[in-house]
Amino acid sequence: MAVLTVDNVSFSYVAGIPTLRNVSLAVHRGEFLTLVGPNGSGKSTLLKILDRIFLPDEGNIALDGTPLATFTRADIARKMAYVPQDREGVFPFTVEEIVLMGRAPHTAGMVFEGEGDREVARKMMGLTDIGHLASHPVTNLSGGERQRAFIARALAQQPEVLLLDEPTAHLDIAHQVDIFRLLRSLSVDTGLTVVSVTHDLNLAAMYSDRIAMLQCGTIAAAGTPSEVLTVDRIRDVFRAEVVVDLHPAATAPRVTVLR
Ligand code: ADP
Ligand code: MG
C-alpha cells in the first residue's frame, strides 16, 4: 500500500517559472526510494512539498491515504521526519539535546522528556555512531558529525516516513555506507519508508529499492536501479558519458564516469 502519494503536483517559486511540473509518484510502506537528478532539477523542492513546507500550486499529496493538507503540523511530525540539506548548528545545544528534540512530537504537553525518550535518543545516537559526542555542542562538530546528529534526531522522532536531503554529502566513505546500510535495514526490519535525495548513483543503486530521476522539475524515470540507471538516460539527464556494468560484489548496477 502506498504510504505517500504524489498526484500530478506542480509548483513554482516564481510565477510563470515552474520548478516542479506534473510530478506523480507513489511510495510504498517500507520502501527505500532515492531521488536523483542534476543540480536545480527540483529534488529539494519536492522533499519540502512532501513535508508540507510548501503547498503545491496544483495536484495533491496524500499520507496514509489522507490528504496532507488536512493534517496538523504535529500530526505530520508524528508520522514523518525531514532531514534538510546542510543543517547548520546555530545554537550550542549538545548532541543529546538535539536528538531529544526529535521526541517533542511525542511528548506533547509535557515539559520534560521521560526516561523512555532518553532511551530512544541513546539508541539513535548509537545507530548513527555519535554516542561518544552526546555532550558536545553541535556547533563544535564536523559537518559529517553534525549531519549524523540530525539524522539521529529524525530517527528519534520514530516516524513512519523519513525524508532526507543529501544525508551523506559531508560524510566520509565509511559513514556514507553506514548511513545507507542503516536506512536500508530500518526499512527492511521496521517497515520505515525512506525517501532520500542523493548524488551518489552507486550508493542509490546498491541500497534503494527504487530510484526516481528528476530532470527540470519532471520525473524522467522511476523504477528499479537497473531500469533507471542506463547509459542513455544518464547522458540525457546529466550530460555525462558513463559506463554501466554490474557491481562486483552486489546485484546492483555500477556507474562509472568515462569523461
Ligand atoms: P535540487 O535540490 O534538485 O538541486 P532545488 O529543488 O533546490 O533543486 O531547486 C529547483 C529550482 O528551484 C532551482 O532552479 C532553484 O534555483 C529554484 N529555487 C530553489 N529554492 C528557491 C527559492 N526559495 N526561491 C526561488 N527559487 C528557488
Ligand atoms: Mg537540493
Side-chain angles (χ1 to χ4, degrees), residues 1-19:
M1 183 204 149
V3 61
L4 260 181
T5 319
V6 180
D7 182 23
N8 212 22
V9 159
S10 296
F11 175 79
S12 301
Y13 289 104
V14 180
I17 306 174
T19 296

Side-chain angles (χ1 to χ4, degrees), residues 119-215:
E119 185 61 45
V120 172
R122 270 195 295 274
K123 180 178 168 199
M124 301 316 174
M125 287 190 286
L127 288 176
T128 51
D129 193 24
I130 50 164
H132 58 293
L133 300 170
S135 61
H136 289 224
V138 279
T139 40
N140 292 1
L141 302 186
S142 77
E145 290 165 343
R146 192 161 53 234
Q147 206 149 12
R148 273 144 53 209
F150 283 104
I151 294 170
R153 178 171 85 165
L155 291 175
Q157 239 171 288
Q158 296 188 308
E160 287 175 33
V161 179
L162 182 55
L163 309 171
L164 307 112
D165 202 345
E166 298 191 31
T168 57
H170 299 286
L171 303 191
D172 63 64
I173 192 165
H175 281 111
Q176 287 180 23
V177 174
D178 282 350
I179 290 298
F180 270 78
R181 283 170 68 109
L182 172 64
L183 296 174
R184 172 90 209 159
S185 68
L186 289 170
S187 87
V188 170
D189 299 342
T190 71
L192 177 70
T193 306
V194 179
V195 180
S196 181
V197 172
T198 184
H199 280 298
D200 193 320
L201 301 179
N202 287 311
L203 281 178
M206 279 181 76
Y207 292 102
S208 48
D209 296 303
R210 271 196 311 149
I211 297 176
M213 191 181 281
L214 282 157
Q215 179 180 30

Side-chain angles (χ1 to χ4, degrees), residues 4-62:
L4 260 181
T5 319
V6 180
D7 182 23
N8 212 22
V9 159
S10 296
F11 175 79
S12 301
Y13 289 104
V14 180
I17 306 174
T19 296
L20 295 176
R21 285 176 294 151
N22 307 109
V23 169
S24 292
L25 196 64
V27 190
H28 300 281
R29 192 172 300 285
E31 185 174 36
F32 187 164
L33 177 89
T34 50
L35 296 175
V36 302
N39 295 136
S41 55
K43 304 178 299 294
S44 296
T45 304
L46 179 55
L47 276 198
K48 287 175 188 166
I49 284 180
L50 292 179
D51 196 42
R52 216 184 62 188
I53 294 167
F54 301 129
L55 294 172
D57 300 328
E58 283 170 47
N60 296 297
I61 316 263

Side-chain angles (χ1 to χ4, degrees), residues 213-231:
M213 191 181 281
L214 282 157
Q215 179 180 30
C216 303
T218 62
I219 302 223
T224 62
S226 47
E227 285 167 350
V228 172
L229 299 177
T230 64
V231 168

Side-chain angles (χ1 to χ4, degrees), residues 239-253:
R239 306 259 164 251
E241 289 299 329
V242 300
V243 170
V244 179
D245 58 4
L246 264 188
H247 187 287
T251 53

